[in-house]
Amino acid sequence: MPRRALITGITGQDGSYLAELLLDKDYEVVGMVRRSSTVNFERIAHIQDRVTLVPGDLLDEISLIGILREHRPEEVYNLAAQSFVQTSWGQPVLTGETTALGVTRLLDAIRIAAPEARFYQASSSEMFGKVHEVPQNEHTPFYPRSPYGVAKVYGHWITVNYRESYGLHASSGMLFNHESPRRGLEFVTRKISHGVARIAQGLQDKLLLGNLDAQRDWGFAGDYVRAMWLMLQQDVASDFVVATGQTHSVRELCEVAFSHVGLDWAEHVVVDERYLRPAEVDLLVGDAGRARAELGWEPQVDFGHLVGMMVDADMELVRAEGR
């Protein structure tokens, strides 16, 4: 019998890559989607006929219990959230409802309806925020610097508490920034790759960005979903940092992206104060030593290849839009 997995947030970047991975491993994949007018199936269009999509919402525990009882998944991956840091400042309460309390509702639904299921919580490097040490590992104290980061800390600790209090096989992946051609346009990496493509094809001249000195540990989303799966294959549930261990600034990202199409970034990038965060996170870089040692996980796509992959995909996308 094939194993069955439930993915919340299946239409997002990570959800689409995870669904592909699980299908390749002969899983039955059930994806939860909200009943809303804005659901975008673009990222899973190529596999939509191979997954079962079910309506549900992290704001509604009854819908979660119903899905678990009907589909009986052996693995549950919680990738749904209000996942954009900037938006969390404008919608702090909604961010808390989905990104924090939504985790509790899902864990409680599992406790009630599927206590044998293995659970993965998408924790975030944004929990480290104003970092206490460099690099950050599983023991680094949290100091979140946004409503999103605060909500993720709640989701992380409630997962630990359900694991320890109810004996659930519940793990958290503290994933550092991970990108791909499927990244949303509101994220700085994709904003840059898409802007480069439009500038290269003469559709715009300037790219407006915020803090060019912010440094992040950027990896490839396809590599990171493999770590999620590996966590749920372990006999004992635990929490892992997933990162490349290398840091790059937004400025360096611009340099690599523009040079990929033969342009000088300095001629096109303009710093716009509207894109500066109320509280900035300056240096996030992860120590994934434990994931390497215990999960056997290694990132396979390096920074230069990742940026090139994103620019190439956006060049093709912009051309297609032009046609």
Side-chain angles (χ1 to χ4, degrees):
M1 282 285 289
R3 282 187 285 179
R4 185 175 297 140
L6 170 66
I7 304 173
T8 74
I10 192 171
T11 60
Q13 167 188 259
D14 292 8
S16 66
Y17 280 109
L18 179 61
E20 284 178 351
L21 176 83
L22 295 177
L23 288 169
D24 285 345
K25 294 182 181 299
D26 295 325
Y27 278 66
E28 290 179 9
V29 176
V30 179
M32 189 181 88
V33 293
R34 282 178 302 161
R35 281 196 194 281
S36 79
S37 58
T38 57
V39 175
N40 182 352
F41 295 102
E42 182 183 324
R43 294 185 184 94
I44 59 167
H46 62 296
I47 54 170
Q48 205 169 326
D49 59 341
R50 299 171 61 198
V51 302
T52 302
L53 297 178
V54 296
D57 200 310
L58 290 180
L59 302 183
D60 177 29
E61 188 171 331
I62 299 299
S63 70
L64 304 175
I65 291 172
I67 291 169
L68 291 167
R69 283 189 170 147
E70 180 178 353
H71 295 280
R72 299 274 170 205
E74 284 109 318
E75 297 173 7
V76 178
Y77 296 87
N78 183 37
L79 309 185
Q82 190 300 99
S83 62
F84 188 42
V85 173
Q86 195 75 32
T87 300
S88 78
W89 288 105
Q91 299 182 314
V93 176
L94 176 70
T95 300
E97 281 287 354
T98 54
T99 308
L101 291 176
V103 186
T104 315
R105 295 186 190 101
L106 184 51
L107 281 164
D108 216 45
I110 290 170
R111 177 182 68 82
I112 292 165
E116 300 304 312
R118 296 187 171 197
F119 175 75
Y120 172 82
Q121 165 60 12
S123 287
S124 167
S125 61
E126 290 287 335
M127 301 189 304
F128 297 119
K130 188 175 180 180
V131 298
H132 286 253
E133 60 186 4
V134 179
Q136 295 90 51
N137 62 33
E138 290 81 4
H139 304 292
T140 302
F142 299 140
Y143 194 138
R145 296 279 279 169
S146 66
Y148 171 77
V150 172
K152 280 294 187 184
V153 169
Y154 178 99
H156 181 86
W157 279 118
I158 201 70
T159 300
V160 171
N161 275 265
Y162 268 68
R163 175 171 76 219
E164 295 179 351
S165 302
Y166 298 116
L168 298 183
H169 192 295
S171 296
S172 281
M174 292 174 262
L175 271 55
F176 280 66
N177 295 61
H178 46 287
E179 318 297 319
S180 76
R182 300 179 195 172
R183 192 55 139 157
L185 284 167
E186 68 271 25
F187 291 87
V188 69
T189 47
R190 182 74 196 289
K191 183 178 180 181
I192 291 169
S193 65
H194 193 255
V196 166
R198 287 182 55 83
I199 289 168
Q201 296 181 47
L203 298 174
Q204 68 186 62
D205 185 52
K206 299 298 180 190
L207 178 61
L208 306 181
L209 296 173
N211 181 8
L212 300 183
D213 296 316
Q215 297 182 48
R216 295 290 183 273
D217 182 330
W218 277 300
F220 172 50
D223 286 340
Y224 285 40
V225 299
R226 198 169 66 253
M228 300 176 187
W229 177 78
L230 285 167
M231 283 178 222
L232 296 203
Q233 311 317 305
Q234 306 305 303
D235 292 336
V236 178
S238 191
D239 308 317
F240 293 88
V241 163
V242 180
T244 69
Q246 297 179 347
T247 185
H248 304 273
S249 67
V250 175
R251 180 179 282 102
E252 187 181 347
L253 178 61
C254 290
E255 290 172 5
V256 174
F258 276 93
S259 67
H260 190 70
V261 293
L263 294 174
D264 179 356
W265 74 277
E267 295 178 5
H268 302 281
V269 171
V270 177
V271 173
D272 187 327
E273 291 189 354
R274 287 177 303 171
Y275 296 112
L276 299 176
R277 295 182 187 179
E280 184 55 84
V281 174
D282 294 316
L283 178 59
L284 289 172
V285 55
D287 172 6
R290 186 164 179 237
R292 285 182 158 94
E294 296 184 25
L295 304 178
W297 177 83
E298 287 283 348
Q300 293 172 351
V301 177
D302 67 21
F303 179 72
H305 282 98
L306 173 64
V307 176
M309 175 199 306
M310 293 180 67
V311 171
D312 288 343
D314 275 327
M315 289 287 284
E316 185 54 42
L317 181 70
V318 171
R319 281 192 205 103
E321 287 169 352
R323 289 197 293 269

